[in-house]
Amino acid sequence: MKRTLISIIASFTIFAQFALAQSAAAKKSNTQDYSKASVSIRFYDRTMYYPGSKEDNPIYVDVAITNKGTDTLRFKLADDRMFSLDFYAYTIKNTTLPNTKDLVIKRSTNQTVYFRELAIEPGETYSFVENVKDYIQIDEPSIYYLELRFYPELYKSRLTEIASNRLSLDIRPAPSASASSVLPVENKTTSLLKPEAISPDKVVEQTIIARQKTLWDQYFLYMDIEQMMVRNSEVNRKYKNASADERNRMLQSYKADLMQNRIDHDVVSIPEKFHIENTSYSQTEGTVSVLEWFKYPNFSEKKRYIYKVRQRDGIWQIYDYTVTNLGTE
């Protein structure tokens, strides 16, 4: 009887050790390797940056997560991205700027963090746009060095973090009350872009030329981004139910998706040439019909674009469009 009891105890011990070994092996096999994950940042629409309000003078940065490995990269991304990443701004003395009060309060409050589990295949990139001033309090003009750290298992599990490249952030002294601080800066210049009271056909013409030259600030200058985005009924529903911060986030993500040609391919396609064939408009609404040619290796495709425009405060904006294929040449 004693021998039988000892045998039973030994069997249970061996089984328990085997189960623990299997559990440890399974846990190890399910651990994601982030060594091949790359995170990079760049200014989304470089402008003149000043201290102060994140609403009046935001600092938008495009965040790109790239899988440089050979296996699928899986990570968590919080709906509120303050629980997925951090921005750090360093002075020339290598001291860091403080976090915003909103960020500190959010992270110190006991709450449920909602997130999505994303998967990126080898060679693919997932990107989104964030406002640095949501994370960092910037009160003084200076040159700072901006860096991002991404937490693939969320902020509370930040034993794993991926650091980005560094950007040089030039914060200038705040302008006078009458000065503009949010208009985009022309490429390679310090002059500010301002929409002008030009005719609908000129609005469309300048927009197409800006796209041909990949001048994104000028491309978006006469475009009603909000109305373009909510053309999609599902997006429109989500946008209506979103908070002010989330709406702004959706708009910036939509612009980023356009720039990377991920959505609305027709409107961001680059024509080899175009011809405005007809323009008609009333005091507030109008349409501009344009023939556009797209060159491919063995043929050219011809399309008719009907751009819908409307006037707000004396400025015409594109808010919708339709496309008709006219065959090949």
Side-chain angles (χ1 to χ4, degrees):
M1 180 68 180
K2 185 176 181 180
R3 288 181 179 179
T4 303
L5 182 61
I6 291 173
S7 297
I8 293 173
I9 293 173
S11 298
F12 273 115
T13 302
I14 294 171
F15 178 77
Q17 289 176 340
F18 177 73
L20 286 172
Q22 275 195 323
S23 176
K27 185 175 181 180
K28 184 176 180 181
S29 65
N30 290 331
T31 301
Q32 175 70 62
D33 179 14
Y34 296 109
S35 63
K36 299 299 182 181
S38 170
V39 176
S40 63
I41 57 174
R42 66 180 180 86
F43 291 112
Y44 173 67
D45 50 356
R46 180 181 285 275
T47 73
M48 294 173 126
Y49 300 123
Y50 307 103
S53 172
K54 66 179 182 180
E55 290 83 11
D56 294 337
N57 183 240
I59 301 175
Y60 290 122
V61 168
D62 183 78
V63 180
I65 303 168
T66 303
N67 182 1
K68 293 189 174 181
T70 56
D71 298 321
T72 301
L73 174 66
R74 304 180 188 279
F75 59 91
K76 298 172 183 176
L77 185 66
D79 292 348
D80 185 341
R81 291 173 188 147
M82 287 184 177
F83 294 98
S84 280
L85 51 93
D86 262 324
F87 282 99
Y88 291 86
Y90 299 90
T91 68
I92 57 175
K93 295 182 179 180
N94 208 35
T95 59
T96 57
L97 295 185
N99 293 131
T100 62
K101 291 181 180 179
D102 287 344
L103 180 63
V104 173
I105 291 172
K106 278 189 177 183
R107 288 180 174 174
S108 60
T109 303
N110 188 18
Q111 60 179 295
T112 301
V113 177
Y114 297 96
F115 63 89
R116 294 175 291 164
E117 291 188 349
L118 300 179
I120 303 179
E121 297 304 318
E124 291 186 348
T125 297
Y126 181 86
S127 64
F128 50 88
V129 177
E130 287 294 294
N131 183 359
V132 173
K133 287 186 177 179
D134 284 333
Y135 297 79
I136 300 172
Q137 186 175 327
I138 304 175
D139 296 325
E140 298 294 333
S142 185
I143 299 292
Y144 301 100
Y145 300 99
L146 186 66
E147 180 182 288
L148 177 140
R149 293 177 197 173
F150 175 64
Y151 309 117
E153 297 297 329
L154 304 182
Y155 175 77
K156 290 184 178 180
S157 305
R158 55 189 183 279
L159 293 176
T160 302
E161 63 178 45
I162 307 171
S164 74
N165 57 304
R166 283 193 176 186
L167 299 177
S168 178
L169 175 60
D170 183 5
I171 302 295
R172 303 190 178 193
S176 62
S178 61
S180 171
S181 63
V182 295
L183 293 174
V185 179
E186 289 188 32
N187 289 2
K188 301 180 182 179
T189 75
T190 57
S191 58
L192 295 177
L193 284 174
K194 296 181 180 179
E196 300 176 352
I198 56 179
S199 61
D201 56 323
K202 287 296 182 183
V203 163
V204 171
E205 179 184 48
Q206 289 195 20
T207 300
I208 296 174
I209 292 174
R211 182 66 190 98
Q212 288 177 323
K213 296 181 178 180
T214 318
L215 301 175
W216 289 108
D217 289 340
Q218 296 181 30
Y219 176 75
F220 291 123
L221 192 61
Y222 294 101
M223 190 173 291
D224 187 335
I225 291 296
E226 182 180 54
Q227 288 302 311
M228 291 287 287
M229 182 183 71
V230 299
R231 292 166 68 248
N232 181 299
S233 58
E234 179 62 24
V235 174
N236 186 32
R237 181 193 62 77
K238 184 177 179 181
Y239 186 73
K240 286 181 177 179
N241 295 329
S243 65
D245 285 345
E246 184 60 26
R247 286 187 176 190
N248 184 61
R249 197 190 304 275
M250 289 175 66
L251 289 171
Q252 299 311 316
S253 295
Y254 176 73
K255 289 175 70 174
D257 286 341
L258 284 178
M259 293 172 67
Q260 296 184 36
N261 200 22
R262 289 199 292 242
I263 57 174
D264 291 351
H265 304 290
D266 283 322
V267 78
V268 290
S269 295
I270 305 176
E272 179 192 25
K273 60 181 180 179
F274 67 94
H275 169 67
I276 296 179
E277 59 176 354
N278 183 56
T279 303
S280 62
Y281 57 96
S282 64
Q283 190 172 357
T284 57
E285 295 272 346
T287 59
V288 181
S289 176
V290 185
L291 295 177
E292 299 185 27
W293 288 263
F294 300 86
K295 188 173 179 60
Y296 298 94
N298 299 318
F299 65 95
S300 288
E301 191 174 29
K302 183 179 179 181
K303 297 182 180 181
R304 174 176 285 113
Y305 281 70
I306 305 295
Y307 295 94
K308 296 181 180 180
V309 296
R310 102 177 121 210
Q311 187 176 188
R312 288 183 175 177
D313 300 322
I315 304 297
W316 288 96
Q317 289 184 310
I318 299 170
Y319 71 93
D320 198 356
Y321 71 97
T322 59
V323 184
T324 304
N325 292 321
L326 300 179
T328 60
E329 296 182 347

